[in-house]
Amino acid sequence: MLGSLTIPLFPLSTVLFNGGYLPLHIFEPRYLRMIKDCQGAGIGFGVVLIKEGNEVHEGDDHKLPAIHQVGTLAEIVEVEELPENRLAVMAVGGAKFQVGATWEETDHLMMGEVTFVPDEPEGPLREEDADLVKLLEYFVDARDLPSAVRKRIDYTNERDVSVRLADLLPIHSNDKQKLLQMDSPRVRLTTIRQWSEL
């Protein structure tokens, strides 16, 4: 996906990668509307990591959180209505984007102009990265991942292995953001190797 789009932004304390699954429990009115609007328009919403501030709106003097400028489109795959006007939402990560202008709507929903970045180059995984494949297999086995996620992992593809490792590594969100912002699978794999050897 290329080009620019106006979408709602969901600032979170987590990083979403392409192909990653994101379960959400929605209860704030602004995000209930966001899900409804996204379903009606057939578009996703943007997940962006919070730099400073809170996920939940608190009081009249609440300010929008400061966010990182690179995020991921979240595509809604399942919505379940819960008691007390709440929703259980499952979203999956799509294209990566750069955030431009942002603004706040009357219900405090953050909107943004985003520009999608080109897909990263694909290439065969190098033999020297066999240990990183084993590391990925370990994390895949250790997590309760949906079978759809497991089936889509291409362990021979440099881009796929680098993104899934970045997604599953038990590291701080700020470090995950650094990996998200990289546009080279080779650089991402090299960085992950360096971190795993510390």
Side-chain angles (χ1 to χ4, degrees):
M1 177 183 291
L2 292 176
S4 298
L5 195 64
T6 298
I7 58 172
L9 298 178
F10 200 161
L12 292 171
S13 299
T14 189
V15 177
L16 179 64
F17 289 87
N18 180 275
Y21 270 61
L22 179 67
L24 295 168
H25 178 203
I26 305 293
F27 57 90
E28 288 191 69
R30 56 179 169 168
Y31 294 127
L32 291 170
R33 175 174 76 87
M34 178 187 77
I35 297 300
K36 181 180 178 182
D37 290 351
C38 287
Q39 285 184 297
I43 62 168
F45 56 91
V47 172
V48 286
L49 179 66
I50 294 173
K51 274 186 182 179
E52 185 178 336
N54 299 311
E55 290 182 3
V56 178
H57 180 80
E58 297 174 335
D60 295 335
D61 60 348
H62 175 81
K63 295 180 180 178
L64 285 176
I67 59 171
H68 287 271
Q69 297 304 297
V70 175
T72 303
L73 184 69
E75 299 169 358
I76 300 169
V77 295
E78 186 177 334
V79 177
E80 179 185 356
E81 293 188 6
L82 302 174
E84 301 177 354
N85 198 30
R86 295 173 296 128
L87 295 175
V89 176
M90 181 64 76
V92 64
K96 188 164 59 175
F97 58 74
Q98 182 83 31
V99 180
T102 61
W103 61 94
E104 183 180 14
E105 298 204 328
T106 55
D107 61 356
H108 307 292
L109 180 66
M110 182 186 286
M111 300 293 293
E113 289 280 351
V114 303
T115 301
F116 294 98
V117 301
D119 288 339
E120 296 175 12
E122 288 192 71
L125 200 70
R126 300 178 184 179
E127 289 184 11
E128 66 202 53
D129 293 321
D131 58 334
L132 293 179
V133 171
K134 290 187 180 298
L135 185 64
L136 176 56
E137 290 173 338
Y138 169 80
F139 286 122
V140 167
D141 289 340
R143 301 284 184 92
D144 185 23
L145 296 178
S147 59
V149 175
R150 293 173 179 264
K151 290 176 182 176
R152 284 207 312 264
I153 299 174
D154 183 353
Y155 291 96
T156 68
N157 184 296
E158 187 175 67
R159 182 178 70 184
D160 218 34
V161 170
S162 78
V163 171
R164 290 281 65 77
L165 266 175
D167 184 22
L168 297 176
L169 277 175
I171 56 177
H172 194 278
S173 293
N174 287 334
D175 291 326
K176 285 183 178 285
Q177 182 69 27
K178 292 175 184 175
L179 295 174
L180 176 70
Q181 292 177 186
M182 295 175 182
D183 56 11
S184 165
R186 175 50 38 195
V187 171
R188 187 178 295 114
L189 285 173
T190 300
T191 303
I192 289 171
R193 180 183 300 284
Q194 291 170 345
W195 288 352
S196 65
E197 291 174 349
L198 293 178

